[in-house]
Structure formats: C-alpha cells, structure tokens
Amino acid sequence: MFKFIAIAAITLVSTAASAETYAIQAGHLIVDAAKPARGPSTVIVTDGRVTRIDEGATVPAGAIVVDMRTKTVMPGLIDVHVHLTSDAGLPWYETLRPKYSEDYAAITGVKNALITARAGFTTVRDAGSGGYSAIAVRDAIRDGSVPGPRLEISGQPLSMIGGHADPGVGLSPELRDAIAHDPAMFTVCTGPDECSKAVRRLSAEGVDFIKIMATGGVLDAGDIGLEQHFTDAEMKAIADTAHALHLKVAAHAHGAKGIDAAVRAGIDSIEHGTFVDAQGVTDMKAHGSYYVATLLAFRGAVEMIGKGILQPASEKKAQQAFEAWGVGLNRAYKGGVKIALGTDAGVFPHGQNAEEIALMVSKGGMTLRDALIAATKGGADLMGLSAETGTLDPGKSADLIAVDGDPLTDPAAVTHIAYVMAMGKPIPMK
C-alpha cells in the first residue's frame, strides 16, 4: 500500500515538473473586453490554461517567455459564422467540378482554419459545410494533428426543397437526379417529422449545433426571394428536437417575417438578419436570441456583381441586401438584442475576419468596446463556452492574442496580429 502511494506521489511530482509553462509579457493587457485595460502584465499559462496574472514582466522559473511588451494582449477573437471548407470568389459552377470532393474540402478547411487562427480567431463556428469535411477538420485540430482554432461544426444546413441549401437548386433534372443519393440530401426536408429526423441524423454524425435556412439566400440560384422558407411548424420541430439533444440552432435569415418566425420557434441565433423589423427586435430581446450580422459578407457578395461569378438571380438579391447593409445590426443593437461577431468568411477571403469589428462600429452603430465584447464574450456565450473562453480570467483556456496598438480606441488594431495562442498552443505565424 505504502509502495503504491509512494509511486503515485513520484508520478505526480514528475508530471508537475514537466508541466509546460508560458510567461506572456504584455505592454497592456485586456483581461475582459468589458473592463478597463491593465498596464504591463504577465499572463502565466500552464498546461494550456491561464493560471494567474502578475503585474509587470515576471518570469517563473523554467517558463517559456513570450515577449509582447510592446503589444496589447487580449482574449482571442471568436467568429461564430464561417465556412472553412469553401474559398471566396469562385464562380458558382466551379463547385460542381470533380476536385471539389469531401477530401478536397477537408484539405481546404485545414488551410483556412490556420489562416483564420493567424488572423486572431481562437474559436470559430463553421456554419455550413457538405458531408463530413468540416467535422474532419475539427477533429484533426482537437487531436493536435494540425494547428488551428477551437472549432464547432454544423455540418450540412437544413433546407426546404428548392431552398438556400438544396444542392439541386438551379440544376437540370438529370443532374439533380444524379446527386439525389448524396448523403447531404437528407438535410433537405419537408414537414415537422422529416425535419426532426434530419436533426437527429446530424446529431448522430457528431455536429456541435444545427444550422437551418429559415429564409432564401443571396448566393443560391433560386429566385424565390429572401423571405421565409420553412413553415412555423417545421422550424419549431427543428428547434425542439435540437434542444432535446442539447444542440443550439442557428438560422440563416434575411427577410423580416422569416426572422421573426425563427425567433418565435425558439431558434438561438439569427445569422445575417438583414431586414429585421421592430417586431423582430422586440421578439429577439424577449427570447434572448443572438444577432449575428456578418457585415463582411455583404461587401464580399457585392464585389462579385458583374463578374460572371454569380447567377442573375443572385446578383439581384445581392444588391437588395447591400442596400440594407448594417441597418439590421443597428436596429438590434439599439433594441438591446445580444450580439455576437460572425463574418460568413468563405464568401470573402478567409483571414480578413477581424475587419468585421470596424464595420460593426461604422455600419452598425456599435461602440468599439461593445463590438469587442461581441467579438469575445458574445461569441463565447452564444456557443455555451463562457466558462472556457471569452476572457483571460484564471482557470480558463489560454486563448489569447497580441496586437499592435490599442483595440479599445482603434478598430484596426485587431487586424495587426503579432502572436496567437489557441487552447494553450502557440499558433505558427509563418
């Protein structure tokens, strides 16, 4: 018995002695975007977690020193709406070419995950990808096989027949029949029972949340418009089933009636929210729903107009959405709705995500501090990760970045990234 205890004690001492410790020295430190910045400080990280914060440039014995004394260190940014397995600027027909397989998409996702981490985003939610490609990227990062941010994945979004995520929209009957047995097609559902079943199948695949197309979309080939797609009953069945499985639901939603229907159905976040009206804002506030503006997506979409990249119906919808750029966010913000940063990266090039913060201020009318809160604590709360990330409080995961300048006075500061640590692991910057 005593021999066993002695061996266990030796093992614990050995483990503690080999624990990896970082001392990240900051010229200024933002522990919580809702609170004032601190002066020169050192964040002590051991085994991937923030263990304490010291004043000045202290260095514990044996610690790996990260000298960021000319920088501002702050919580890592969170983007709750990206598409890692997609690249921007491709003509619509390019995705039909043979190379755009799940295998190719997964490799694209690994590439874009690293680009996104290097841009300062330590937690990311992939809000729509075909098949299992993004799940593979998530698992490879979790296993330490490749570097990248913490990922949560929705997999294939749910769509009505002919809706925004129906892969057969705009195709000839022959092509549509050819993909009819694609595993992604089960997420095209009709009626509450069928939609509920689709949620269960996605859950069984291992997704982290559910994404639905509550309204039409800009980039699909359909000409139905941007209003409500799923019925009220279908959306409620999706939300109820997902919540029973402990999964949140994000709704792609542009039109006012579709937004409000999604909120009343119990869906957790409205993505885009372009034409949200006063009733939608009131209901979002009452239900505690999150608003995710994706302002960069509007810029990305309108830059494709007239270049042969979009189909004619998409160009028309892109122009309609662009004319309301930032209006919905301003309404939601003034109405006290909870805000999280999302960008729709993949519609525009990955790595530009942090430019969303400046747009939240200039187009959405948010204060810079509130935009930074949305980019850190807002995303963490929406994803149910507030106990893990969003601030640099001791005990939390070491998700942090170092930037040039003061992000509390200059929104461009977060686009100048000098250092990134995600889940306690330094991200290679080159």
Side-chain angles (χ1 to χ4, degrees):
M1 178 67 176
F2 290 109
K3 182 178 181 181
F4 172 79
I5 293 173
I7 292 172
I10 292 170
T11 301
L12 287 173
V13 170
S14 175
T15 301
S18 63
E20 191 170 52
T21 297
Y22 288 85
I24 299 151
Q25 301 170 326
H28 291 88
L29 177 66
I30 299 172
V31 174
D32 182 331
K35 298 177 181 178
R38 304 184 187 186
S41 305
T42 301
V43 181
I44 308 300
V45 174
T46 302
D47 282 352
R49 307 198 81 79
V50 178
T51 54
R52 71 176 193 270
I53 296 172
D54 296 339
E55 291 186 4
T58 60
V59 181
I64 300 168
V65 178
V66 181
D67 187 354
M68 293 289 142
R69 287 178 291 176
T70 62
K71 315 294 181 185
T72 298
V73 173
M74 62 177 288
L77 302 174
I78 299 175
D79 191 334
V80 301
H81 192 126
V82 305
H83 301 282
L84 292 177
T85 61
S86 302
D87 280 326
L90 296 175
W92 63 271
Y93 50 80
E94 281 285 334
T95 57
L96 300 178
R97 293 175 61 187
K99 77 173 184 178
Y100 289 97
S101 61
E102 280 197 46
D103 303 316
Y104 190 90
I107 293 170
T108 298
V110 168
K111 175 199 71 173
N112 289 331
L114 180 55
I115 289 171
T116 305
R118 286 173 171 167
F121 288 81
T122 57
T123 299
V124 170
R125 202 172 66 158
D126 188 288
S129 55
Y132 302 94
S133 55
I135 292 175
V137 177
R138 177 199 67 189
D139 293 349
I141 292 172
R142 284 183 182 176
D143 294 344
S145 300
V146 294
R150 175 187 292 101
L151 288 184
E152 289 197 352
I153 307 299
S154 74
Q156 184 74 16
L158 300 186
S159 173
M160 74 171 196
I161 296 172
H164 184 43
D166 180 350
V169 171
L171 301 181
S172 68
E174 293 80 8
L175 281 174
R176 186 178 179 88
D177 288 344
I179 65 170
H181 300 293
D182 187 316
M185 290 296 286
F186 76 76
T187 61
V188 177
C189 55
T190 301
D193 290 344
E194 194 173 297
C195 289
S196 181
K197 181 179 179 181
V199 171
R200 292 190 178 99
R201 290 186 64 173
L202 283 167
S203 176
E205 287 184 0
V207 302
D208 301 295
F209 70 105
I210 301 297
K211 165 81 175 292
I212 80 163
M213 303 308 191
T215 75
V218 170
L219 298 183
D220 65 65
D223 200 16
I224 305 174
L226 297 173
E227 259 305 344
Q228 183 172 348
H229 277 192
F230 282 115
T231 66
D232 291 3
E234 288 169 335
M235 284 196 274
K236 188 174 189 310
I238 290 167
D240 288 349
T241 304
H243 292 159
L245 295 168
H246 308 292
L247 299 174
K248 290 190 175 184
V249 185
H252 158 106
H254 286 288
K257 292 181 179 178
I259 291 169
D260 202 35
V263 172
R264 287 185 281 104
I267 285 167
D268 303 283
S269 64
I270 297 300
E271 318 284 314
H272 314 307
T274 312
F275 301 106
V276 66
D277 59 14
Q279 187 62 54
V281 168
T282 298
D283 287 345
M284 289 187 75
K285 172 73 172 176
H287 285 78
S289 310
Y290 262 90
Y291 185 99
V292 180
T294 68
L295 298 177
L296 278 167
F298 295 86
R299 188 179 76 186
V302 89
E303 287 174 353
M304 299 182 201
I305 292 177
K307 298 179 180 178
I309 295 174
L310 302 177
Q311 297 193 59
S314 295
E315 293 210 355
K316 178 181 177 182
K317 290 182 288 184
Q319 189 59 51
Q320 290 173 344
F322 188 68
E323 289 170 2
W325 195 19
V327 174
L329 175 58
N330 187 255
R331 287 174 179 164
Y333 179 58
K334 288 181 176 178
V337 173
K338 295 187 289 187
I339 310 293
L341 179 146
T343 66
D344 217 0
V347 173
F348 64 93
H350 295 278
Q352 299 177 7
N353 312 51
E355 295 177 21
E356 182 82 13
I357 290 174
L359 291 176
M360 293 168 82
V361 175
S362 63
K363 293 292 183 182
M366 298 181 70
T367 66
L368 180 51
R369 183 178 292 278
D370 283 344
L372 287 173
I373 292 170
T376 52
K377 298 175 73 175
D381 183 58
L382 171 57
M383 295 173 69
L385 295 173
S386 292
E388 185 71 5
T389 192
T391 70
L392 296 180
D393 293 305
K396 291 191 177 183
S397 174
D399 300 321
L400 56 84
I401 60 176
V403 305
D404 291 325
D406 181 4
L408 290 171
T409 60
D410 178 13
V414 292
T415 66
H416 303 293
I417 306 296
Y419 180 80
V420 179
M421 176 176 277
M423 299 177 287
K425 299 176 182 178
I427 295 294
M429 300 302 285
K430 292 183 180 179

